[in-house]
Amino acid sequence: MLRLWTLAEKPPLAAVRRIHSSHSSHASAQASTSKTPAKPKWTPNSIRTGVVARKRGMTVLWTDQGARIPVTVLQLENCQVTANIKTVRRDHTQYHAVQVGATDRPAKTESNQMLGHFNKARVPPKRIVREFPVTADAHVPVGTKLSAIHFVPGQFVDVVANGIGKGFAGGMKRWGFHGLAASHGVSISHRSSGSTGQHQDPGRVFPGKKMPGRLGGKRITTQNLAVVRIDTSLDLVFVRGAVPGVDDAHVLITDAKKKMIALSSHNQAKGLYEKVLPTGVDDLPFPAGTAQLAKRLPTIIESPAYRRSPFIPQE
């Protein structure tokens, strides 16, 4: 079921160019000797680009075994590649990255510098632009529109977003302190943090002390979320579990560093080829899952449940 995009990837047809009749024999000789360049394939050492999506909220899905699982709905909004980056560091190593933009915005609200950048890439102005480090073989042509088919149901992803800001909070809410007694004898100090220092020596409060302060509003990475379902007609990605941030906030989705990138290269080096990818996943769209690939595949693709049914008693 999850091998559909592998079957749909066909080698592109050779480009036909109209030339003068006197050069037809020379052109036919060149065509016979030239070969169509092979399409790059995903390897365990490859690192693909991520995508920028918007968190639409949470809902529930039922597996084919009847189990109810909570999912977060993430939607791609005109996510396009705006640039490919290659930089040589001082130690002569190379840094490769793909710059991705999402969510169109009016041109009159964009700066002239960014308008020139988007015009060079031939894409409309974007509200958010982010950069994803990749390997040298994972560059994507500029202007390519990424689709939800970029992620395969059954794989794991990391989601990065800004957490919900909760303002200035006390020690009990911010750090989970127990607080003082709620009975008689405590005078208006029930939720106080208590003592924060020692005596005349050291005579100060050590840096990093858990005290009241601003809570939330920081960049949070939620790792190893399973992709349960994708909808290519609306560019929806359903991931299992909660995602940081408020609804309609922008989030960054990448292949999981631990359960996808690190584990696949580790199992490949050990010769465990059947464990290079998660169960049921045979391949990943490489270098990216584009809108053209999504047109050749079913609209909705779900991951089957590979666990034991929770409703069948164990023997």
Side-chain angles (χ1 to χ4, degrees):
M1 177 178 179
L2 303 181
R3 301 180 181 179
L4 298 175
W5 53 87
T6 306
L7 301 177
E9 293 179 355
K10 298 179 180 180
L13 298 177
V16 179
R17 183 180 178 185
R18 298 182 182 274
I19 57 177
H20 194 268
S21 58
S22 60
H23 300 280
S24 59
S25 59
H26 179 66
S28 60
Q30 287 184 346
S32 60
T33 56
S34 62
K35 296 182 179 180
T36 304
K39 188 174 181 180
K41 297 290 291 182
W42 179 86
T43 64
N45 296 322
S46 300
I47 300 178
R48 304 189 303 162
T49 180
V51 301
V52 181
R54 299 191 75 169
K55 176 183 175 181
R56 294 304 185 188
M58 294 195 68
T59 182
V60 294
L61 294 177
W62 280 263
T63 63
D64 51 2
Q65 297 174 343
R68 178 180 181 272
I69 56 174
V71 296
T72 302
V73 183
L74 308 174
Q75 184 177 26
L76 278 68
E77 270 190 344
N78 295 328
C79 187
Q80 292 179 278
V81 178
T82 56
N84 285 306
I85 301 170
K86 178 182 176 182
T87 305
V88 180
R89 302 187 183 97
R90 290 185 177 181
D91 57 353
H92 304 290
T93 59
Q94 293 183 353
Y95 169 77
H96 299 271
V98 174
Q99 189 184 87
V100 177
T103 309
D104 296 346
R105 68 184 301 173
K108 64 180 181 180
T109 63
E110 187 60 272
S111 63
N112 292 332
Q113 293 81 0
M114 291 303 297
L115 280 177
H117 179 67
F118 292 130
N119 291 336
K120 183 179 179 181
R122 297 183 180 180
V123 298
K126 303 295 182 180
R127 290 193 179 275
I128 180 173
V129 177
R130 291 294 181 269
E131 183 178 307
F132 297 94
V134 298
T135 50
D137 58 343
H139 285 286
V140 185
V142 176
T144 302
K145 184 177 181 181
L146 303 179
S147 172
I149 201 66
H150 184 71
F151 299 106
V152 180
Q155 77 163 98
F156 298 92
V157 295
D158 293 341
V159 180
V160 182
N162 290 327
I164 299 176
K166 302 179 183 299
F168 195 93
M172 294 182 65
K173 181 175 181 179
R174 192 183 185 198
W175 301 110
F177 289 169
H178 181 269
L180 301 183
S183 60
H184 297 285
V186 178
S187 302
I188 325 177
S189 302
H190 307 288
R191 299 183 64 86
S192 174
S193 300
S195 176
T196 58
Q198 291 81 37
H199 207 267
Q200 184 175 355
D201 182 20
R204 64 189 179 97
V205 177
F206 288 109
K209 179 67 177 177
K210 294 181 180 180
M211 298 176 67
R214 183 170 295 181
L215 175 62
K218 296 182 179 180
R219 180 184 172 103
I220 301 175
T221 301
T222 304
Q223 297 181 329
N224 304 327
L225 296 178
V227 178
V228 179
R229 175 180 179 178
I230 61 171
D231 186 343
T232 56
S233 62
L234 299 175
D235 274 341
L236 301 179
V237 180
F238 297 79
V239 297
R240 181 169 183 169
V243 167
V246 298
D247 289 349
D248 294 332
H250 286 96
V251 300
L252 311 181
I253 315 174
T254 57
D255 294 335
K257 286 186 177 181
K258 295 180 179 178
K259 282 196 172 183
M260 290 292 297
I261 299 176
L263 193 61
S264 60
S265 60
H266 175 74
N267 290 333
Q268 175 75 11
K270 294 184 65 175
L272 304 176
Y273 305 112
E274 69 279 358
K275 295 183 179 181
V276 170
L277 288 173
T279 304
V281 179
D282 294 332
D283 198 5
L284 297 176
F286 193 79
T290 62
Q292 290 76 10
L293 176 62
K295 294 178 181 179
R296 304 196 298 266
L297 298 174
T299 303
I300 298 177
I301 303 177
E302 293 184 351
S303 173
Y306 294 100
R307 288 185 170 184
R308 180 189 59 84
S309 176
F311 305 106
I312 298 178
Q314 297 185 8
E315 296 180 357

